Amino acid sequence: MKRALLLPLAALLLPLPAQAAPPSAAERTMIATVDAEQDRHLALLEKLVNQNSGTRNLAGVRAVHELLAPEFAALGFAVRWVPQDAAGRAGHLIATHAGKPGTKRLLLIGHLDTVFELDHPFQRYERISADKARGPGVADDKGGVVTMLAALRAMHRAGALKAANIEVVLTGDEEEAGLPLAVARADLVAAGKRADAALDFEGLVQDDGADMGSIARRSSGNWTVTVTARSGHSSGVFSERAGEGAIYPLAAILTAFRAELPEPNLTFNVGMVTGGASAAIAPSGANAEATGKTNIIPSVAIAMGDLRALTPESIARAEAKMREIVARPFNGGTAQLTFESKYPPMAPTAGNRALLDALNGVNATLGLPEMAALDPLKRGAGDISFVAADVDGLAGLGPASEGDHTAEETVDIPSIWRQAKRAALLMTRLSRQPAAKR
């Protein structure tokens, strides 16, 4: 009886969790502004989605820039267009807002292009319910850019934008980066070197319905194995004179990759294989052709795939092991391995975790659940990775969606407003902190 009575008293003596500070007057204005301007931002989203901006539709990407430039200019940003002719792409929108000297400079990242080119049948915005809209790029990343603008407009209405140092980089080729990358991403990398924090407005990822914070993204790169061998009549296959052809060794190499490469957060997909008396993969990497017969020993076999890892060290280990496997001898031919680096990794650093902690402080103020760090295996590479070596970053500040990169791409409309409120409060709080870089 005494024990039962003592337990509630002991519980009362335990420290209570800290209560979140209520929103300030400026933060209440930001929250109310996001809600009040929903129709305005949905109308802008529809206009952006209905303008095709497939990466290779250079005129379309420029047209999206023309739609967005006045939106940023109206908020006091100096907007410029950086052509990317040398990289075979349209260009990038860069907008800069000068605020109070000595405070943190924020880099906001998004993109103008989509995966849907002019010849794709999926071209129009469609409101399918009160909470859902479908269309090309409705989430990735036109929904993300609208979320960014909704947050900035809320800050502007509350007077919080005036002191904020913000640089916006909206690339025109995120879905298919131009080459060379040193040219295509030069302006983004330079912005990362100037910034104290990078916030990426690609999509929010949810896990079992819970919003997640993205503090890491894996790299993305391609590899190609080409095996060449002696050809001849199949009756001689496996002999010392004729060898084993090109396809058997390629199969052995791929099997060895699968068995010997695995480590945490590393994946290496085989995306295409071809082989025969002749074989080639198209320069686009999207198709292949081959010739051959059942009674001809194949003289060439090619496989291509991707490699994704969380750290540069993991990439180096995987590439070294792949080179060692490909160099192993076999009967009657040789093998070559090439790599194509694309997106670097964004490792889960302490600085990135600190940004997620700051976002969770915002969540507490908004009465939203705390966001856990997303498993990096659950999202692909992105532009924020190009600045990850130079600045702390947080990804996934755009809206939640489903069916991205398909003709069923659908945005969750309420998540736009939830994310805009989070971003407005987070950017305001960060912008008031002292700059870490001079």
Side-chain angles (χ1 to χ4, degrees), residues 285-335:
N287 52 71
E289 52 183 49
T291 65
K293 291 184 176 181
T294 59
N295 62 351
I296 298 176
I297 299 173
S299 62
V300 61
I302 309 168
M304 63 182 297
D306 73 358
L307 180 72
R308 299 172 185 263
L310 195 54
T311 65
E313 294 77 15
S314 180
I315 296 171
R317 284 192 299 270
E319 290 185 353
K321 187 62 178 178
M322 292 170 76
R323 289 189 181 95
E324 185 269 316
I325 291 170
V326 170
R328 293 172 187 172
F330 59 90
N331 183 13
T334 59

Side-chain angles (χ1 to χ4, degrees), residues 110-395:
H111 61 93
L112 307 170
D113 63 320
T114 75
V115 298
F116 304 98
E117 300 292 345
L118 277 170
D119 59 353
H120 197 286
F122 190 46
Q123 294 289 340
R124 304 297 293 177
Y125 177 94
E126 178 188 6
R127 185 72 175 267
I128 56 178
S129 72
D131 290 344
K132 303 287 184 182
R134 184 165 51 219
V138 72
D140 184 19
D141 188 38
K142 292 172 180 178
V145 175
V146 166
T147 302
M148 181 192 298
L149 279 167
L152 292 171
R153 284 181 59 82
M155 292 174 67
H156 185 264
R157 178 66 62 86
L161 184 60
K162 183 177 181 180
N165 290 298
I166 298 176
E167 185 167 8
V168 176
V169 178
L170 303 181
T171 59
D173 59 344
E174 194 272 348
E175 300 293 4
E176 190 180 355
L179 298 175
L181 283 173
V183 173
R185 289 297 175 270
D187 294 281
L188 178 61
V189 170
K193 293 182 184 298
R194 292 188 290 268
D196 295 290
L199 305 176
D200 184 276
F201 282 79
E202 284 204 294
L204 169 70
V205 176
Q206 297 177 316
D207 195 354
D208 290 331
D211 294 350
M212 305 295 287
S214 294
I215 62 170
R217 300 186 77 158
R218 295 186 303 150
S219 65
S220 176
N222 294 336
W223 54 265
T224 302
V225 176
T226 303
V227 178
T228 56
R230 293 192 296 270
S231 186
H233 197 282
S234 65
S235 61
V237 70
F238 306 139
S239 68
E240 187 63 30
R241 174 185 57 80
E244 58 185 306
I247 292 177
Y248 278 120
L250 179 62
I253 288 169
L254 299 180
T255 300
F257 284 177
R258 182 67 183 90
E260 301 178 39
L261 291 180
E263 64 175 69
N265 295 307
L266 175 73
T267 58
F268 40 96
N269 182 56
V270 182
M272 188 178 300
V273 178
T274 187
S278 68
I281 293 178
S284 67
N287 52 71
E289 52 183 49
T291 65
K293 291 184 176 181
T294 59
N295 62 351
I296 298 176
I297 299 173
S299 62
V300 61
I302 309 168
M304 63 182 297
D306 73 358
L307 180 72
R308 299 172 185 263
L310 195 54
T311 65
E313 294 77 15
S314 180
I315 296 171
R317 284 192 299 270
E319 290 185 353
K321 187 62 178 178
M322 292 170 76
R323 289 189 181 95
E324 185 269 316
I325 291 170
V326 170
R328 293 172 187 172
F330 59 90
N331 183 13
T334 59
Q336 292 184 326
L337 172 65
T338 60
F339 292 101
E340 178 191 12
S341 296
K342 288 184 139 180
Y343 289 81
M346 173 187 175
T349 65
N352 297 355
R353 294 181 191 280
L355 284 176
L356 179 56
D357 290 342
L359 180 59
N360 278 324
V362 168
N363 282 328
T365 296
L366 292 172
L368 296 171
E370 183 169 305
M371 296 165 69
L374 178 71
D375 181 346
L377 288 173
K378 294 185 177 180
R379 79 174 310 148
D383 273 342
I384 193 172
S385 295
F386 286 103
V387 303
D390 298 308
V391 61
D392 299 330
L394 185 64

Side-chain angles (χ1 to χ4, degrees), residues 48 50 53 57 59 99 115 302 317 382 411 413:
L48 294 173
N50 286 339
S53 60
N57 178 10
V115 298
I302 309 168
R317 284 192 299 270
V411 69
I413 294 172

